[in-house]
Amino acid sequence: MTPIPTIDDAVVALDAKIHAGDFWSSLEVLRTELTRKQWIESVVPVLIAAFHQLRRARGRNEIMFELIKFAKVTPEVVELALQALNDRAFLVRVQACAALAYSEQIETVSALKQLLQHDDPKTRQNADAAIDAIENHNHYFSVNETWPGPADD
């Protein structure tokens, strides 16, 4: 069986200047060997812990992207996404909005509403889309590029 990576393994791979393809490839092999429950219990905590230690935005972005699919079933992913809303990197904030939209947790809307005052217009748009997705119970809204924004009533 493929060994489960340590937090240090993840940090070294994801903070490297080159793409961490080997790291993600090994996780794909591991995904075929573990049940979803085992993956959530063993790999998700490693990725969450590594996120906080990464200096490079690319690695934080890749982790948030990987964790989106667990936002409905793993409260720690939602907590990480809430923290990532304040990341200095736009793409990390995008993934955080997507994770919160996918979670459909109404409690996260207040944090998303704070982003509506962000300096970056694209961040505001992603937050608005995530709020709309949560309020309409349609987690796909936040990642739909043709989303026109909320209707003016």
Side-chain angles (χ1 to χ4, degrees):
M1 182 160 145
T2 306
I4 294 171
T6 66
I7 296 167
D8 288 339
D9 294 338
V11 170
V12 167
L14 297 172
D15 245 356
K17 289 184 180 179
I18 58 172
H19 182 63
D22 290 345
F23 176 75
W24 293 113
S25 295
S26 68
L27 286 186
E28 284 306 312
V29 171
L30 187 58
R31 188 186 315 271
T32 65
E33 298 171 357
L34 298 175
T35 65
R36 181 174 168 87
K37 183 176 188 279
Q38 290 170 323
W39 180 269
I40 290 170
E41 291 172 351
S42 59
V43 178
V44 169
V46 169
L47 295 176
I48 290 171
F51 180 94
H52 295 293
Q53 296 181 32
L54 293 173
R55 291 171 295 147
R56 295 188 180 277
R58 185 188 71 237
R60 295 190 310 276
N61 179 54
E62 289 177 1
I63 286 176
M64 277 308 313
F65 179 80
E66 173 63 28
L67 294 177
I68 290 170
K69 62 180 130 311
F70 302 108
K72 282 188 186 286
V73 296
T74 311
E76 295 83 3
V77 171
V78 172
E79 183 59 37
L80 180 64
L82 287 167
Q83 295 167 16
L85 290 175
N86 297 311
D87 199 278
R88 64 187 177 272
F90 166 71
L91 289 176
V92 177
R93 294 191 305 269
V94 169
Q95 304 301 352
C97 287
L100 295 176
Y102 187 72
S103 78
E104 294 186 20
Q105 291 187 16
I106 196 72
E107 305 83 33
T108 65
V109 168
S110 61
L112 287 161
K113 283 185 176 179
Q114 292 177 16
L115 275 188
L116 297 178
Q117 305 305 314
H118 198 278
D119 292 338
D120 178 36
K122 289 183 180 180
T123 295
R124 292 193 304 266
Q125 182 182 15
N126 277 278
D128 202 21
I131 292 166
D132 192 59
I134 292 166
E135 290 176 344
N136 288 289
H137 306 288
N138 180 356
H139 57 258
Y140 292 110
F141 266 2
S142 72
V143 293
N144 184 346
E145 293 177 7
T146 60
W147 180 76
D152 294 326
D153 293 328

